[in-house]
Amino acid sequence: MTSNLRLVVTKKFRQRAGDTGILQILCCIDELDNVIPADPNQFPSGLIWISKGYDNNIEHEFSDDEPFLLDFFEKIDREIYETSSHSNTAEHWSLGKHAKKLDSEKLLPVIKSELPDKSTGLLKYVRHSVPSKQFYIENDSFIYGPFTATPTDEEVYLTPSQCLPLALNTNFVAKISLEAISKTNTYITIQDKIDFPLEAFISSNKDLATTVGKNIEQVDYINDSQLITYFSKYEFGSSTAKLSRKSAEQLKQAISQEAKKKFKLNDNERLNRITALLKDYLESEDIGKDIIDSWLSASEGKAFLTKLINESPEKFESQTSALKTQKNQFEDEISSLKIEKAELEKDITQTRNRVEQEKDRAKQEIEKIHQQTQEQLEIERKKKMADLEQEISDKEDVLQTLKIQIDSQSKKLKDISKINELDKEKDYLERRKNELQAAVNEQEKLLKSPDIAREVVKQDTILGLLQGRDFSRQNENITYTPPIFHDKSIDKGESLIQYFVERFDDGGRSFSFEEMANLLVTIQQSFMVVLKGLPGAGKTSTAIRLAQALYLDRDSSTFDNFLNIPVSRGWVSGRDFVGFYNALKGNYQPAKTGLFQFLTQGNMQGAEHALRLVLLDEANLSPIEHYMSDFLGLFDNEGRGRPIDTGNTNTQKRFLNVPQNLRFIATINNDATTEMLSPRLCDRVPIISMDLQDNQSIRSATASEINGSVQYDQLDKHFGKKLSDDNYEDTPAKIQQLINIFEDTNRELGQNIRVSKRKVNAMQSYSKRANEYMDETAAADFAVSQYMLPSITGFGPDFKKRIEKILEQSKRSGLNRTTDILNTILVTGDAHVGSFSYF
């Protein structure tokens, strides 16, 4: 390799001959992971020749103008270069397999454009497509951002993007002097000779924070819609969806009073904007214009207008004169049209008469032909009937002869069958006689045996088991052994994610950094997670390997922290899953799953410190909501503290507490032997499709050295729901766009798909945490594919249009997993005659 540099490149063109092509160099990344400009002395032409692997590894993997990494390159040997078929001036070569995805947090694009409209977020930018990830805007010697784009059919809307390194407030963007960063490696410019639509990049948000510090100017970029929402969270004004004039006036007064009495809002700009917004609404002339137009269209308005014209004609003289001239012109045109109409009617009458005459002549000709044909057909029919009658008579004679022969042979066959049946009956009676004799001999032997008492006890035991008696210990002694915990506190969630990524690379299904982050966040925030996929996708092994990586699966028969339950066909209630109270015996009978003992262990001392994991393998062999009916209330946050009623008459043992650190992972298949997941269950659990897999991680970190089980509070700190003093959260724009299409009541799109408040809250909590470990687009992609898409089920071409509209918006927003799943739903739905479903 020429050096430890990695090159940031983009496609230039594919060569005609062979699997080769040319890349152009944008900048470099050194061994310390710093972004630096490309040295023109080292790369005079700024080009790299790909001698093999251009088609599969580059052409189909990266879009035009998309920057990506090249982690290997060599100086071209001039002798080989001069004899090669390509005719370019590249000084270096590489292979397509060395092309890698660029970390989404590196090289944030900078576009030159007017700033978006603050009230709507609309961007007036037409040079080329807006970047799909975070980017900055250069305007009047300042850099603004970061922003995130949400494209629609014809427009692009921007929203401020979360940026932890710059410590930006929600809906604020940074304003940075271009002069302050233009001479640093944080601001990377593209050479003029390079054919690339962008002119500059920000190396990363972290580099920007290091360069300018955190004392930067923040610009409020909340749009009008969010501004109304921001103030409405304090319960100002009316709660109706659309403010009336009276409600708007109340809201305006409420803001003024609350600013003086209750709050002293520091955000004066927002207060001024909301006040101006409501003032424009209240003072708009269109409000009165609609009322006047409505009144003038009514009978009272028309009468008033007529009276006014009669009483003061001079006021309308100029208008009435023009109207009279127009009236005369219209009357002349009407007269001309009447004359043309009369001529056309005359022509039509003459044509109709000729047509009637021709029809009469045609009818006469047809009648003659019909009479001749009927006579010929009658003669032929009589001849055929005579031939058929003779043939039928001959066949009846043959049939009669055959019937006599059949009757004779049938009689002989019946006699033979009776003989065979009698022989079989005789053999059966002989065998039965021998069996009875053997039974009599055995009974005589038993009665004479000295061991008859032992046999009686044995038979009594068998009879007791059949009648439900329990001969086992009535009071089983349940103990709990805690795991060995990791001896250090984990400061960064990224290092823990990387630990799991590397553990899963040892064998079986591998996970990218983003996939593993999604798995950990989803499990920590959800009482149960469903893994869906074809056989061999790695569903069951993923749960087992996760338990092993957390040191929960012990090498013994006692499953103190991890329980693997193979679900059986035919489970109908909680007695098959947990157990039931037997009133006849007066004790609780646990199910053979071991879940009752596992839950009991979870309430013992020390069990609250570790994640306790239950795997439901092939969970939909029986209806999940039937055998887990006792647990459905625990799927919601408000129901997590509710105990399970065992029915035990002993009040001290009646209720079984479900600990907060318990999680379920369920694996499911879709075939004729399994049960469909009900809408009620799909509304409560995220469903991860294991059939989709990222080729490689966009992000990575230094892995933690884990020597024991990670404590539950550490997992919850890094992957659980974030606690905030302000419980108000906006739904991410890319998710909200799809929610609007899901719930659109337009009949041309078939039945709409309801997205419950429960799902919206779950996606908000997920996105808020997942944004720490991946970009906003990837977080939105995982959230939509796991929480919203499982709700898709419908029929007909109109419903197909709704899915196609969802697919189109997903492509515009860069939601790749969602796009793949929607394409599969459409293909499968077409094959099933217009029945479209996620499952």
Side-chain angles (χ1 to χ4, degrees), residues 426-468:
K426 177 184 175 183
D427 293 340
Y428 169 75
L429 292 175
E430 287 290 340
R431 289 195 304 273
R432 184 60 178 161
K433 175 185 174 183
N434 294 334
E435 290 172 358
L436 292 174
Q437 186 62 48
V440 170
N441 295 337
E442 185 68 26
Q443 291 297 324
E444 289 178 353
K445 181 180 178 181
L446 180 62
L447 291 173
K448 295 176 182 179
S449 173
D451 298 329
I452 187 170
R454 184 174 60 192
E455 292 296 328
V456 169
V457 172
K458 179 180 177 181
Q459 296 297 328
D460 181 65
T461 302
I462 294 173
L463 182 62
L465 291 172
L466 293 174
Q467 292 175 345

Side-chain angles (χ1 to χ4, degrees), residues 232-387:
S232 66
K233 74 174 181 177
Y234 296 110
E235 299 182 353
F236 294 158
S238 174
S239 62
T240 55
K242 183 179 180 181
L243 291 177
S244 65
R245 185 187 182 103
K246 181 178 180 181
S247 298
E249 185 65 44
Q250 292 174 350
L251 177 57
K252 182 178 177 181
Q253 294 174 1
I255 292 172
S256 176
Q257 292 171 2
E258 292 296 327
K260 295 177 180 178
K261 296 179 181 180
K262 187 176 181 181
F263 299 109
K264 283 187 180 178
L265 293 176
N266 295 326
D267 198 348
N268 292 326
E269 181 185 352
R270 291 190 176 183
L271 185 60
N272 293 336
R273 281 182 58 193
I274 192 69
T275 304
L277 185 65
L278 296 174
K279 181 179 179 182
D280 289 345
Y281 175 80
L282 296 172
E283 295 178 356
S284 174
E285 295 181 358
D286 291 343
I287 298 174
K289 183 177 182 300
D290 292 340
I291 298 172
I292 294 172
D293 290 343
S294 176
W295 182 75
L296 288 177
S297 300
S299 57
E300 295 85 352
K302 291 179 180 179
F304 168 79
L305 194 59
T306 302
K307 180 179 179 182
L308 184 62
I309 292 173
N310 292 334
E311 291 177 353
S312 304
E314 67 280 358
K315 294 181 180 180
F316 304 93
E317 185 174 352
S318 59
Q319 287 81 0
T320 53
S321 175
L323 290 173
K324 286 179 180 179
T325 302
Q326 263 187 330
K327 176 185 175 185
N328 295 332
Q329 292 176 351
F330 288 150
E331 287 177 349
D332 292 341
E333 291 178 2
I334 291 171
S335 299
S336 300
L337 291 173
K338 286 182 177 179
I339 295 172
E340 292 181 5
K341 176 186 175 185
E343 293 177 352
L344 287 173
E345 288 177 345
K346 181 178 179 181
D347 292 342
I348 291 171
T349 301
Q350 293 174 353
T351 302
R352 185 181 293 118
N353 292 335
R354 288 197 298 271
V355 170
E356 290 295 330
Q357 292 174 1
E358 292 297 329
K359 284 173 62 178
D360 291 340
R361 283 198 294 269
K363 285 181 180 179
Q364 293 174 2
E365 293 294 330
I366 292 171
E367 186 65 28
K368 289 180 181 179
I369 294 171
H370 182 69
Q371 290 177 356
Q372 294 174 358
T373 304
Q374 285 292 105
E375 293 175 355
Q376 293 175 355
L377 288 174
E378 183 65 23
I379 294 171
E380 291 292 332
R381 188 184 68 82
K382 289 180 179 180
K383 183 178 180 182
K384 285 286 184 183
M385 287 295 295
D387 293 341

Side-chain angles (χ1 to χ4, degrees), residues 573-593:
S573 68
R575 66 184 296 151
D576 300 309
F577 188 48
V578 184
F580 68 99
Y581 177 73
N582 191 328
L584 294 176
K585 296 192 299 180
N587 68 343
Y588 189 84
Q589 291 185 208
K592 65 179 182 179
T593 59

Side-chain angles (χ1 to χ4, degrees), residues 41-258:
N41 295 322
Q42 185 177 1
F43 306 101
S45 66
L47 302 177
I48 293 288
W49 176 47
I50 301 300
S51 62
K52 184 179 180 181
Y54 187 88
D55 289 342
N56 292 332
N57 299 105
I58 296 177
E59 182 68 19
H60 300 304
E61 288 296 325
F62 302 101
S63 61
D64 295 339
D65 301 332
E66 178 184 359
F68 57 93
L69 275 179
L70 197 65
D71 60 9
F72 171 88
F73 61 94
E74 282 281 4
K75 189 78 172 177
I76 291 179
D77 188 323
R78 277 298 158 192
E79 295 181 0
I80 299 175
Y81 171 76
E82 290 174 356
T83 58
S84 62
S85 59
H86 57 86
S87 57
N88 55 73
T89 57
E91 298 87 9
H92 299 83
W93 67 273
S94 183
L95 300 173
K97 67 180 182 180
H98 296 293
K100 307 291 188 235
K101 284 282 187 180
L102 188 64
D103 187 340
S104 60
E105 296 181 358
K106 290 285 188 185
L107 286 184
L108 305 179
V110 178
I111 65 174
K112 290 187 178 181
S113 171
E114 294 294 328
L115 292 172
D117 179 31
K118 186 176 291 188
S119 62
T120 62
L122 179 63
L123 177 66
K124 298 178 181 179
Y125 185 78
V126 295
R127 287 184 59 190
H128 60 85
S129 59
V130 178
S132 59
K133 65 178 184 179
Q134 290 185 357
F135 64 93
Y136 287 79
I137 294 177
E138 179 182 337
N139 181 262
D140 289 340
S141 301
F142 286 93
I143 300 292
Y144 297 83
F147 290 97
T148 300
T150 304
T152 60
D153 292 335
E154 298 177 352
E155 299 170 326
V156 176
Y157 292 89
L158 301 189
T159 54
S161 182
Q162 289 181 332
C163 185
L164 298 178
L166 295 177
L168 296 177
N169 297 326
T170 303
N171 291 315
F172 280 77
V173 297
K175 178 182 178 182
I176 304 165
S177 170
L178 184 60
E179 182 181 0
I181 62 171
S182 60
K183 296 181 181 180
T184 68
N185 286 341
T186 302
Y187 185 75
I188 308 298
T189 58
I190 306 301
Q191 299 180 21
D192 295 336
K193 66 180 180 179
I194 296 178
D195 182 18
F196 193 70
L198 297 177
E199 299 178 5
F201 290 95
I202 297 296
S203 59
S204 72
N205 287 325
K206 291 182 179 179
D207 295 342
L208 189 61
T210 303
T211 302
V212 301
K214 296 187 177 180
N215 297 322
I216 62 174
E217 181 179 354
Q218 297 193 33
V219 179
D220 189 357
Y221 244 93
I222 189 170
N223 62 41
D224 287 351
S225 175
Q226 293 171 328
L227 191 62
I228 294 293
T229 307
Y230 173 80
F231 281 99
S232 66
K233 74 174 181 177
Y234 296 110
E235 299 182 353
F236 294 158
S238 174
S239 62
T240 55
K242 183 179 180 181
L243 291 177
S244 65
R245 185 187 182 103
K246 181 178 180 181
S247 298
E249 185 65 44
Q250 292 174 350
L251 177 57
K252 182 178 177 181
Q253 294 174 1
I255 292 172
S256 176
Q257 292 171 2
E258 292 296 327

